């Protein structure tokens, strides 16, 4: 740059914020970001009334009085600040859309993690309560193993809080392994409700074992919560090409709008007690994370909550 003006132009164009300079209600200068925001070049904007460039009376008024405000424009959140010095004025506009999106994602992630923490914490409490009583050594060791397993899950959730959601820890495993783990954790609830749980044929799948368990627990717990007591909950399995399909069937009342239940913070019409409305949202998020689908349907007079996951092969 060979002049002071040229250097100033370089720096103002390098700013990520949109900058508009005006005097007496007429545009003097736009930087590159402002040209992109309002779709007008510096050459066309110079000398025009401010309103012709910004095309919003709200911004024109802000420039006249000075101050700050936030605007929602075409799905974007803009922070606008105007300063005046006599007839001269500067309008600076910062696009906060990505920042607001990250804030929303952080709130959603916190809600999801809070929901996921409940299951291992509940399981650990049950283990510790059981260990208060005298029991055969083999049985107590089994409870200790369960406690260590759930402690491992908690440790991984703490890591998620610290560094965000990491890539999936997928491995090949039989569905029966996840089924047995879920049945063991839900044994108390099944007994209390007088309900029975059955599983379809085994299949080899490729998934993160903890995430698969979380999906199963959410679906079976929903079946227990919204279905009648003393019911048979069936977990059906089937091969669908290169995918395995799992469906949890209960005898609850028909669901009028099943797809809306997979939205965040949504609970069924018959929901009672406390709940975050995040269970099915987590199910769909996890399943979509490994490329599968999650849905609900009415099959043979029963509610079916289904999902797919990458299959490796049948085990007979």
């Amino acid at each position: 740059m060979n002049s002071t003006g040229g250097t100033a132009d370089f720096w103002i164009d390098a700013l990520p914020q949109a900058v508009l300079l005006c005097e007496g209600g007429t545009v003097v200068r736009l930087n590159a970001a402002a040209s992109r925001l309002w779709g007008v070049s510096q050459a066309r904007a110079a000398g025009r009334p401010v309103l012709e460039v910004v095309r919003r009376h709200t911004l024109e008024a802000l420039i006249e009085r000075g101050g700050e405000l936030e605007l929602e424009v075409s799905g974007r959140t803009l922070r606008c600040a105007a300063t005046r010095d006599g007839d001269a004025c500067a309008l600076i506009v910062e696009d906060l859309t990505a920042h607001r999106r990250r804030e929303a994602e952080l709130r959603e992630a916190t809600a999801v993690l809070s929901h996921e923490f409940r299951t291992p914490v509940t399981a650990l409490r049950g283990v510790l309560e059981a260990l208060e009583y005298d029991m055969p050594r083999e049985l107590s060791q089994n409870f200790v193993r369960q406690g260590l397993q759930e402690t491992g899950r908690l440790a991984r959730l703490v890591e998620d809080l610290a560094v965000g959601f990491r890539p999936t820890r997928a491995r090949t495993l039989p569905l029966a392994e996840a089924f047995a783990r879920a049945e063991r954790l839900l044994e108390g609830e099944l007994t209390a409700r007088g309900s029975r749980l059955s599983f379809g044929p085994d299949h080899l799948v490729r998934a993160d074992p903890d995430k698969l368990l979380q999906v199963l627990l959410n679906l079976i717990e929903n079946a227990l919560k919204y279905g009648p007591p003393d019911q048979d909950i069936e977990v059906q399995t089937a091969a669908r090409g290169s995918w395995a399909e799992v469906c949890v069937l209960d005898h609850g009342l028909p669901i009028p709008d099943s797809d809306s239940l997979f939205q965040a913070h949504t609970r069924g019409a018959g929901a009672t007690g406390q709940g975050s409305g995040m269970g099915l949202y987590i199910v769909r998020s996890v399943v979509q994370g490994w490329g599968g689908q999650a849905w609900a349907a009415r099959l043979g007079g029963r509610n079916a909550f289904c999902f797919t996951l990458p299959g490796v092969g049948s085990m007979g």
Side-chain angles (χ1 to χ4, degrees):
M1 300 293 176
N2 297 320
S3 68
T4 303
T7 302
D9 287 344
F10 171 79
W11 287 114
I12 195 173
D13 281 330
L15 292 172
Q17 297 88 356
V19 178
L20 180 149
L21 305 178
C22 61
E23 190 166 353
T26 301
V27 175
V28 175
R29 176 79 166 87
L30 289 182
N31 73 344
S35 293
R36 291 191 296 271
L37 176 63
W38 288 301
V40 58
S41 66
Q42 160 65 18
R44 289 189 59 191
R48 289 176 176 266
V50 167
L51 184 60
E52 288 187 16
V53 175
V54 301
R55 299 189 296 278
R56 282 184 175 272
H57 288 288
T58 308
L59 289 179
E60 182 188 37
L62 179 68
I63 289 171
E64 290 177 356
R65 70 173 185 271
E68 295 186 10
L69 60 80
E70 282 194 11
L71 283 179
E72 295 290 333
V73 180
S74 301
R76 292 187 296 177
T77 303
L78 305 178
R79 177 189 289 157
C80 311
T83 57
R84 296 193 62 86
D85 183 9
D87 285 341
C89 179
L91 174 66
I92 301 173
V93 180
E94 182 179 5
D95 192 339
L96 300 178
T97 308
H99 178 68
R100 292 286 186 263
R101 186 182 303 115
R102 284 193 295 271
E103 287 182 340
E105 290 172 352
L106 180 59
R107 287 193 297 270
E108 205 65 79
T110 301
V112 169
L113 284 167
S114 174
H115 186 281
E116 289 200 38
F117 266 110
R118 290 193 309 172
T119 298
V121 167
T122 300
L124 279 171
R125 183 166 55 239
V127 167
L128 292 173
E129 289 173 352
L131 289 173
E132 284 186 315
Y133 301 94
D134 291 331
M135 63 182 72
R137 179 175 174 78
E138 183 178 345
L139 184 58
S140 66
Q141 287 180 331
N142 182 53
F143 277 115
V144 169
R145 281 193 297 271
Q146 289 184 42
L148 290 173
Q149 191 176 52
E150 296 310 318
T151 301
R153 288 184 64 202
L154 281 172
R156 284 187 285 275
L157 288 172
V158 170
E159 290 175 4
D160 284 342
L161 278 173
V163 298
F165 292 105
R166 293 180 173 178
T168 182
R169 301 174 177 87
R171 66 174 174 86
T172 299
L173 73 154
L175 277 173
E177 177 184 315
F179 291 163
R181 194 174 168 194
E183 186 173 26
R184 185 170 62 248
L185 290 171
L186 294 170
E187 183 177 1
E189 285 187 63
L190 287 163
T191 301
R193 296 280 293 176
S195 297
R196 293 154 298 280
L197 189 59
S198 63
F199 300 96
D202 200 6
H203 294 264
L204 279 175
V205 296
R206 182 77 180 174
D208 181 319
D210 288 337
K211 294 299 183 185
L212 175 56
L213 176 65
Q214 192 68 35
V215 168
L216 287 169
L217 288 174
N218 274 313
L219 295 183
I220 298 172
E221 284 178 336
N222 272 4
L224 285 166
K225 185 184 300 181
Y226 297 109
D230 194 27
Q231 65 170 324
D232 292 311
I233 299 171
E234 183 180 1
V235 182
Q236 293 182 350
T237 62
R240 305 295 185 201
S242 60
W243 294 82
E245 180 181 286
V246 179
C247 290
V248 177
L249 290 89
D250 65 60
H251 292 271
L253 296 174
I255 300 169
D257 183 14
S258 58
D259 197 61
S260 67
L261 293 178
F262 288 90
Q263 298 173 5
H265 306 295
T266 301
R267 303 183 71 198
T272 58
Q274 295 183 341
S276 64
M278 294 294 293
L280 291 178
Y281 173 80
I282 291 172
V283 167
R284 178 166 283 180
S285 298
V286 170
V287 170
Q288 288 178 342
W290 61 50
Q293 295 179 307
W295 69 96
R298 188 75 177 173
L299 299 178
R302 292 185 291 177
N303 293 321
F305 288 85
C306 308
F307 65 94
T308 56
L309 66 165
V312 178
S314 173
M315 297 186 67

